[in-house]
């Protein structure tokens, strides 16, 4: 009896504690799962422009960047400056060798040495701080006619979009106590690796109802996308950023591939993924400001997808006409890649210029309204 | 002599009007002041009276004693016959001039063909209309005043909920009062509303603005303004996302634009629009929405260049599958759309590939109306011509032959009969005579 009793003693103290802990964990999981349901997850996909949108959301709906965060971008921006001038200088040399009218790409004698020096700096892993002297040298080189000519051929040289902005602000960027402004941060280019996320409350109506958004930005890596994409099943919406100004540019990773064609394939692939069957798609046709200027000089037909484009007018009307054409192409791609059963998912197209904070705010308000209405419709309340 | 006691409430029949003597005198209906006047002012009065009747008759309940039994309209110049019945002068004179010598309502023979002006009734009619007219005008002015206020609010560019509420109120007023429509148009309201529509317009604002615009008559300039791609995109978005009323308003707006001479078919060559219309057409819960969607699709289909796009969103099979459950009006629209789509190669292929096309079309022959039969026949013809071997047998199995015989024997137009005969011949090619004849017998289901 005694031994029976002692064997029957159900739990000793350690076991009791463990069970208590296990139950506590279960409760926490249940609570958090419930809380998670009220968090609307948004996934940023696309070839370029995602991170800018990401930064804008941070600036608009969170507390923005604090001093430390702003400061952390200094080295990035300086790096961008060195990279840009190197690309331009090396590019000018290449064009001088390969182009028929080579003389206009030959850098003037005074600037040649500086150019070589800067090109050398640009190829290192570590960049020096951008001092006034170096900034002046870069400024002089930037103003060289040959470099300007090379800049006008920027689409084949992988010149980043931030080139002009940084070159125009060199004096400010090279101050000893330089702290990047919000705008500087928006222009800074750094390749995202891994996944970053921010959580925020949207504006207006939804704030009162306690709705929360969580935005994910995955890196631009092309490899093995199919392996991790399904982890995002159940996101409320995919925000797909397509830079419409890139119709005449080639990929950084593969200079034979047109960027717009790459975007087209990516969009097609994403639309067909089973995990996004019920997901709303918000297509941001981004970099409209660059598109506006480019379309009047470089015809859309240089991109294979747009080869059937026929210009209609000129000036502002032509820009609108070109934009509508591109929009219809994406629409056509959507309906082509979408099985009939899926056609009911939300699909909206927005014209964006990610660098313009006001526009991003307005655009996001509309995205928010659409998602809220969708919620109400699905709950049968509309 | 006993004093004549007026009953305490002397009532006029009809309508919601109860006139007792006290109120009648107080309100001046029974004379008092310059009210009635003699016949001297009669001519002038009559013109005013005609105008008042014209404006009030549709909206107010006119007491039945004021109505002429012949024309059922309020009387402007009431005259009484010897039988005591009162009619509008011109109507009863016409009656009498046709040779009738009876009182139209009592059927009594007239012993006296005199026609006496009923001055009392005339005065009452005039007074009643005057009073109601004044009230009507005042209400109308109030409403117009409020509408003008709302437009001022909107012009000041209020934002958010204030703007949405102002638009909502204005929309209700525009729908209920035609006078407000004029106010909005006259004070630049149309241009204001159109300026609210753009790529950043929220759904709340856009849906209300469109709800107002569809109830106004828009001039050319307004229509051209609306045809800008960014505004059309907004309308299409709302057609896809809005409530059923918003969706119907959007279809109405687009139909209005399509009637404009500057309209170009590129404007409706939007896959989102066409997919949205198909979704609307298939919505069983809202038959009025379904009709609106089909109606616009039909109008769009009349533009050849858009037909290919319509087929590419899978409209053909979806429309064919809708056929068995549609009301008659929707049926005609749907068949007409399918017929239009059968004029292009992709449309014909889609029709042939959909397994329900032949059975549904055959079933509809001689079932609903002559035009439905005509369209169904045309569709069958297109499909059978495309793939005679495959389709002819399917059609015959579905009972086509018997139906075609019905058409030929019916009172339909000669062209229709001719077509039927040709189709019959086409279908009979693969059958022996006896086998075919057996297929022509009306089966129970078809009967």
């Amino acid at each position: 009896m005694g031994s029976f009793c002692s064997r029957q003693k159900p739990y000793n103290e350690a076991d009791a504690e463990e069970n208590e802990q296990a139950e506590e964990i279960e409760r926490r999981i249940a609570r958090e799962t419930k809380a998670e349901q009220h968090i609307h997850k948004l996934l940023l996909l696309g070839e370029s422009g995602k991170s800018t949108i990401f930064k804008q959301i941070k600036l608009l709906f969170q507390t923005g960047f604090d001093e430390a965060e702003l400061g952390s971008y200094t080295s990035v921006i300086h790096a961008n400056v060195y990279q840009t001038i190197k690309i331009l200088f090396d590019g000018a040399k290449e064009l001088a060798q390969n182009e028929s009218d080579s003389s206009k790409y030959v850098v003037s004698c005074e600037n040649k040495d500086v150019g070589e020096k800067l090109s050398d700096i640009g190829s290192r892993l570590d960049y020096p701080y951008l001092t006034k002297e170096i900034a002046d040298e870069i400024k002089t080189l930037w103003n060289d006619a040959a470099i300007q000519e090379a800049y006008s051929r920027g689409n084949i040289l992988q010149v980043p979009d931030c080139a002009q902005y940084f070159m125009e602000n060199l004096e400010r960027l090279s101050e000893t106590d330089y702290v990047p402004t919000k705008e500087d941060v928006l222009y800074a280019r750094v390749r995202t690796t891994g996944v970053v996320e921010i959580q925020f409350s949207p504006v207006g109506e939804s704030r009162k109802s306690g709705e929360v958004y969580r935005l994910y930005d995955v890196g631009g890596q092309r490899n093995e996308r199919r392996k991790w994409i399904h982890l995002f099943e159940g996101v409320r919406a995919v925000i797909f950023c397509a830079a419409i100004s890139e119709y005449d540019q080639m990929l950084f990773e593969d200079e034979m591939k047109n960027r717009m064609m790459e975007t087209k394939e990516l969009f097609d692939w994403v639309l067909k993924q089973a995990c996004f069957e019920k997901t709303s798609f918000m297509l941001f046709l981004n970099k409209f400001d660059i598109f506006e200027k480019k379309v009047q000089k470089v015809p859309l037909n240089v991109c294979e997808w747009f080869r059937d484009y026929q210009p209609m007018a000129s000036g502002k009307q032509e820009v609108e006409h070109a934009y509508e054409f591109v929009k219809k192409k994406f629409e056509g791609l959507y309906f082509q890649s979408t099985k009939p059963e899926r056609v009911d998912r939300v699909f909206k197209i927005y014209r964006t210029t990610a660098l313009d904070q006001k526009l991003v705010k307005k655009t996001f308000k509309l995205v928010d309204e659409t998602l809220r209405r969708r919620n109400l419709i699905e709950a049968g309340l509309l | 002599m006993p004093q004549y006691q007026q009953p305490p409430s002397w009532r006029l029949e009809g309508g919601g009007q109860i006139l007792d003597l006290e109120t009648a005198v107080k309100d001046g209906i029974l004379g008092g002041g310059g009210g009635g006047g003699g016949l001297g002012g009669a001519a002038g009065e009559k013109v005013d009276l005609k105008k008042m009747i014209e404006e009030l008759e549709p909206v107010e309940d006119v007491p039945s004693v004021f109505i002429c039994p012949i024309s059922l309209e309020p009387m402007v110049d009431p005259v009484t016959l010897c039988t005591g019945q009162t009619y509008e002068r011109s109507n009863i004179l016409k009656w009498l001039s046709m040779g009738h010598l009876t009182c139209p309502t009592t059927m009594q023979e007239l012993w006296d063909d005199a026609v006496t002006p009923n001055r009392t009734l005339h005065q009452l009619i005039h007074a009643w209309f005057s009073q109601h007219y004044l009230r009507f005008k005042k209400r109308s002015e109030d409403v117009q005043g409020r509408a003008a206020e709302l437009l001022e609010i909107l012009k000041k560019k209020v934002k958010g909920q204030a703007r949405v509420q102002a638009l909502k109120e204005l929309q209700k007023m525009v729908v209920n009062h035609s006078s407000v429509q004029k106010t909005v148009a006259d004070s630049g309201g149309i241009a204001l509303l159109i300026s609210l529509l753009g790529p950043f317009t929220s759904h709340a604002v856009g849906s209300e603005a469109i709800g107002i615009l569809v109830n106004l008559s828009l001039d050319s300039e307004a229509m051209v303004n609306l045809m800008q791609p960014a505004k059309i995109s907004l309308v299409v978005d709302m057609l896809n996302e809005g409530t059923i009323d918003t969706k119907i308003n959007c279809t109405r707006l687009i139909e209005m634009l399509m009637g404009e001479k500057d309209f170009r078919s590129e404007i409706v060559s939007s896959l989102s629009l066409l997919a949205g219309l198909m979704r609307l057409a298939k919505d069983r819960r809202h038959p009025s929405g379904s009709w609106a969607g089909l109606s616009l699709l039909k109008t769009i289909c009349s533009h050849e260049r858009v037909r290919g796009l319509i087929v590419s969103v899978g409209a053909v099979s979806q429309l064919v599958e809708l056929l068995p459950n549609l009301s008659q009006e929707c049926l005609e629209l749907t068949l007409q759309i399918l017929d239009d789509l059968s004029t292009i190669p992709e449309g014909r292929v889609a029709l042939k590939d959909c397994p329900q096309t032949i059975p549904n079309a055959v079933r509809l022959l001689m079932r609903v109306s002559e035009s439905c039969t005509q369209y169904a026949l045309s569709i069958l013809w297109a499909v059978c011509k495309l793939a005679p071997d495959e389709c002819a047998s399917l059609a015959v199995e579905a009972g086509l032959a018997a139906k075609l015989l019905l058409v030929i024997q019916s009172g339909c137009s000669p062209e229709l009969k001719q077509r039927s005969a040709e189709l019959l011949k086409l279908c009979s090619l693969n059958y022996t005579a006896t086998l075919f004849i057996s297929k022509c017998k009306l089966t129970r289901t078809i009967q």
Side-chain angles (χ1 to χ4, degrees):
Chain A
M1 187 90 155
S3 61
F4 183 69
C5 276
S6 63
R7 254 205 323 258
Q8 271 296 86
K9 220 195 290 180
Y11 307 106
N12 59 28
E13 282 206 18
D15 281 341
E17 231 182 272
E18 251 183 65
N19 285 324
E20 179 57 42
Q21 276 179 357
E23 277 175 31
E24 175 58 32
I25 291 175
E26 292 284 327
R27 279 196 290 272
R28 260 184 65 187
I29 292 177
R31 269 201 309 270
E32 281 174 15
T33 312
K34 198 158 175 247
E36 282 284 296
Q37 284 170 359
H38 290 290
I39 300 180
H40 302 295
K41 300 180 189 65
L42 308 173
L43 174 61
L44 273 171
L45 288 176
E47 276 295 306
S48 83
K50 302 189 293 300
S51 301
T52 314
I53 299 277
F54 192 83
K55 289 177 206 162
Q56 287 284 23
I57 301 284
K58 202 169 149 90
L59 286 167
L60 284 169
F61 303 122
Q62 282 197 330
T63 49
F65 295 98
D66 60 24
E67 279 281 317
E69 272 177 305
L70 287 173
S72 70
Y73 273 93
T74 310
S75 50
V76 173
I77 291 171
H78 287 176
N80 287 165
V81 169
Y82 287 118
Q83 286 154 359
T84 303
I85 197 68
K86 174 183 168 62
I87 289 172
L88 284 169
F89 183 74
D90 292 351
K93 267 208 283 199
E94 207 185 298
L95 288 168
Q97 281 174 354
N98 301 331
E99 293 290 306
S100 46
D101 48 352
S102 59
S103 56
K104 63 179 176 181
Y105 299 112
V106 176
V107 174
S108 64
C109 293
E110 319 80 87
N111 294 327
K112 247 206 196 109
D113 291 329
V114 167
E116 291 294 340
K117 183 181 93 171
L118 289 169
S119 174
D120 194 53
I121 295 178
S123 57
R124 295 191 216 149
L125 288 173
D126 243 324
Y127 303 116
Y129 190 88
L130 188 70
T131 60
K132 278 282 176 199
E133 293 94 36
I134 305 183
D136 282 338
E137 289 179 333
I138 295 177
K139 192 74 189 259
T140 322
L141 186 57
W142 164 253
N143 287 324
D144 189 302
I147 298 296
Q148 284 298 310
E149 279 290 340
Y151 177 64
S152 69
R153 304 294 301 278
N155 64 311
I156 55 170
L157 294 177
Q158 303 294 346
V159 175
D161 292 327
C162 58
Q164 180 140 14
Y165 177 78
F166 284 144
M167 290 298 151
E168 283 172 0
N169 283 281
L170 276 171
E171 272 142 48
R172 188 169 54 82
L173 302 187
S174 56
E175 301 278 340
T176 37
D177 53 355
Y178 166 63
V179 175
T181 63
K182 282 193 288 193
E183 204 181 351
D184 295 345
V185 166
L186 285 173
Y187 274 97
R189 255 203 72 72
V190 60
R191 295 191 71 71
T192 320
T193 49
V195 182
V196 281
E197 66 177 71
I198 46 169
Q199 195 156 303
F200 61 98
S201 279
V203 285
E205 309 284 302
S206 297
R207 180 168 272 155
K208 299 179 213 148
S209 52
E211 308 272 296
V212 167
Y213 282 119
R214 195 182 292 155
L215 182 65
Y216 295 97
D217 178 10
V218 298
Q221 52 188 9
R222 300 161 77 200
N223 304 323
E224 308 294 40
R225 195 181 291 127
R226 61 185 173 83
K227 284 195 182 159
W228 51 259
I229 196 77
H230 69 94
L231 293 171
F232 293 102
E233 177 162 13
V235 296
R236 200 84 196 72
V238 165
I239 299 181
F240 192 92
C241 297
I244 50 174
S245 62
E246 291 184 349
Y247 59 91
D248 69 338
Q249 288 171 267
M250 301 299 152
L251 286 181
F252 176 76
E253 299 92 336
D254 175 357
E255 297 220 345
M256 299 306 289
K257 191 80 191 278
N258 177 284
R259 287 196 192 184
M260 185 56 80
M261 298 307 290
E262 175 76 5
T263 297
K264 172 178 183 254
E265 281 169 26
L266 178 60
F267 190 48
D268 184 52
W269 184 86
V270 173
L271 285 171
K272 290 183 167 140
Q273 293 311 300
C275 57
F276 295 140
E277 233 169 48
K278 300 220 171 65
T279 314
S280 302
F281 272 82
M282 311 293 174
L283 175 63
F284 281 18
L285 294 181
N286 198 21
K287 304 205 182 176
F288 180 74
D289 54 337
I290 305 179
F291 178 81
E292 235 181 339
K293 295 195 201 94
K294 195 180 271 195
V295 103
Q296 304 192 55
K297 292 183 294 186
V298 183
L300 282 181
N301 331 69
V302 302
C303 173
E304 201 196 308
W305 193 18
F306 302 152
R307 65 176 177 274
D308 56 333
Y309 177 66
Q310 277 170 355
M312 195 185 74
S314 63
K316 196 142 186 264
Q317 263 201 330
E318 181 57 26
V319 172
E320 289 298 323
H321 184 238
Y323 175 75
E324 285 301 314
F325 177 83
V326 170
K327 192 170 157 205
K328 282 219 165 93
K329 281 288 179 182
F330 274 96
E331 235 182 12
L333 184 57
Y334 174 79
F335 282 99
Q336 216 179 300
S337 313
T338 302
K339 287 209 284 256
E341 316 83 75
R342 290 195 200 174
V343 167
D344 277 344
R345 66 184 167 187
V346 172
F347 172 63
K348 287 189 77 169
I349 303 183
Y350 301 88
R351 174 200 299 202
T352 55
T353 296
L355 291 163
D356 184 331
Q357 190 161 77
K358 273 212 185 110
L359 279 183
V360 173
K361 186 172 187 182
K362 279 196 208 176
T363 307
F364 196 77
K365 264 180 90 172
L366 293 178
V367 169
D368 179 45
E369 190 188 29
T370 302
L371 291 174
R372 267 186 302 116
R373 285 186 65 84
R374 189 65 182 184
N375 277 345
L376 291 173
I377 292 174
E378 282 177 0
L381 294 169
L382 253 186
Chain B
M1 194 142 117
Q3 186 113 34
Y4 177 63
Q5 287 284 348
Q6 186 72 288
S9 55
W10 168 58
R11 290 162 198 275
L12 279 182
E13 288 171 350
Q17 292 303 309
I18 296 178
L19 264 184
D20 69 275
L21 199 53
E22 306 283 311
T23 343
V25 168
K26 193 161 58 101
D27 290 351
I29 285 186
L30 288 186
L39 265 175
E45 272 179 26
K46 272 207 198 107
V47 171
D48 286 330
L49 183 58
K50 269 214 172 83
K51 180 161 167 278
M52 290 193 285
I53 290 176
E54 209 181 291
E55 288 194 46
L56 285 182
E57 205 264 323
V59 286
E60 303 255 343
D61 273 330
V62 181
S64 58
V65 281
F66 295 170
I67 305 285
C68 167
I70 298 177
S71 64
L72 297 179
E73 308 259 312
M75 293 183 274
V76 171
D77 187 5
V79 297
T80 310
L81 294 181
C82 59
T83 54
Q85 298 299 319
T86 309
Y87 305 91
E88 175 68 47
R89 183 191 290 270
S90 49
N91 297 337
I92 190 62
L93 288 181
K94 201 160 169 200
W95 169 263
L96 294 172
S97 75
M98 293 203 285
H100 304 289
L101 288 167
T102 53
C103 169
T105 46
T106 61
M107 307 296 229
Q108 287 172 284
E109 260 195 52
L110 297 172
W111 53 90
D112 175 356
D113 62 0
V115 149
T116 318
N118 192 331
R119 289 193 222 283
T120 313
L121 192 57
H122 174 88
Q123 279 182 352
L124 278 169
I125 291 176
H126 194 269
W128 188 93
F129 271 92
S130 299
Q131 188 187 58
H132 283 252
Y133 190 69
L134 278 171
R135 233 189 283 158
F136 174 72
K137 278 297 175 194
K138 174 135 201 327
R139 261 202 326 263
S140 179
E141 266 160 30
D142 283 343
V143 156
Q144 284 178 298
R146 179 65 186 145
E149 254 176 44
L150 287 169
L151 283 168
E152 282 307 306
I153 292 174
L154 290 167
K155 276 187 193 154
K156 289 206 183 78
K157 302 204 187 280
V158 287
K159 296 274 152 110
Q161 271 307 304
R163 181 158 66 173
V164 176
Q165 290 302 9
L167 286 169
K168 271 197 162 91
E169 200 185 328
L170 190 59
Q171 201 247 355
K172 275 205 200 78
M173 294 170 87
V174 164
V175 166
N176 292 322
H177 303 272
S178 50
S179 54
V180 172
Q181 293 174 15
K182 193 164 177 303
T183 313
V184 173
D186 289 343
S187 50
I190 295 182
L192 172 67
L193 290 166
I194 295 181
S195 73
L196 289 176
L197 305 173
F200 293 107
T201 308
S202 69
H203 185 98
V205 168
S207 54
E208 296 300 330
I210 288 190
I212 301 173
L213 286 169
V214 288
N215 288 302
L216 304 172
S217 63
L218 305 173
D219 61 8
S220 258
E221 198 187 321
M223 299 245 206
V224 168
N225 202 349
L226 276 171
M227 288 197 233
Q228 286 173 55
K231 300 194 197 275
I232 296 282
S233 287
L234 180 69
V235 176
V236 171
D237 277 344
M238 288 195 283
L239 192 144
N240 275 298
E241 291 173 17
T243 60
I244 192 67
D245 288 326
T246 303
K247 290 186 201 224
I248 295 178
N249 283 338
C250 291
T251 59
R252 282 170 61 194
L253 189 66
I254 298 179
E255 288 236 41
M256 279 162 74
L257 294 178
M258 291 186 78
E260 178 66 12
K261 69 167 168 50
D262 281 326
F263 177 79
R264 293 180 333 272
S265 60
E266 288 88 65
I267 294 171
V268 288
S269 311
S270 155
L271 289 166
S272 300
L273 172 61
L274 300 171
L277 287 174
M278 277 310 303
R279 217 173 297 140
L280 188 56
K282 293 193 301 188
D283 190 346
R284 297 259 189 105
R285 294 169 303 163
H286 302 111
S288 53
S290 178
W291 186 88
L294 288 168
S295 169
L296 183 55
L297 259 176
K298 187 207 81 164
T299 313
I300 293 178
C301 233
S302 60
H303 292 261
E304 282 181 52
R305 293 156 97 200
V306 195
R307 288 180 194 166
L309 275 180
I310 300 180
V311 174
S312 72
V313 291
V316 170
S317 55
Q318 292 175 45
L319 289 169
V320 167
E321 280 159 27
L322 266 186
L323 286 171
N325 298 310
L326 291 172
S327 65
Q328 180 167 348
E329 312 86 59
C330 289
L331 207 50
E332 272 198 39
L333 286 171
T334 312
L335 285 172
Q336 200 173 343
I337 296 169
L338 288 168
D339 185 34
D340 279 339
L341 294 177
S342 72
T343 60
I344 59 167
E346 314 96 287
R348 285 194 283 270
V349 171
L351 281 166
K352 175 187 79 91
D353 287 341
C354 176
Q356 306 298 333
T357 307
I358 294 179
N360 286 355
V362 170
R363 205 175 303 131
L364 286 170
L365 289 172
M366 295 301 287
R367 196 73 180 279
V368 182
S369 70
E370 183 165 339
S371 47
C372 282
T373 301
Q374 184 189 325
Y375 294 129
L377 189 59
S378 174
I379 292 166
L380 286 163
W381 177 250
V383 169
C384 289
K385 247 318 177 89
L386 179 67
D389 300 322
E390 210 182 310
C391 300
S393 52
L394 280 171
V396 171
E397 291 306 314
L400 176 63
K403 284 288 187 101
L404 290 176
L405 286 175
L406 266 178
V407 177
I408 294 172
Q409 292 159 18
S410 73
C412 291
S413 71
E415 298 84 40
L416 203 52
K417 295 190 197 185
Q418 169 84 354
R419 259 291 179 83
S420 306
E422 285 167 9
L423 186 57
L424 195 59
K425 190 157 169 216
L426 180 65
C427 292
S428 67
L429 288 176
N430 284 346
Y431 289 84
T432 63
T434 37
L435 194 57
F436 195 68
I437 289 171
S438 74
K439 301 286 179 195
C440 291
K441 287 216 181 87
L442 281 172
T443 61
R444 218 170 253 291
T445 44
I446 298 174
Q447 265 165 346

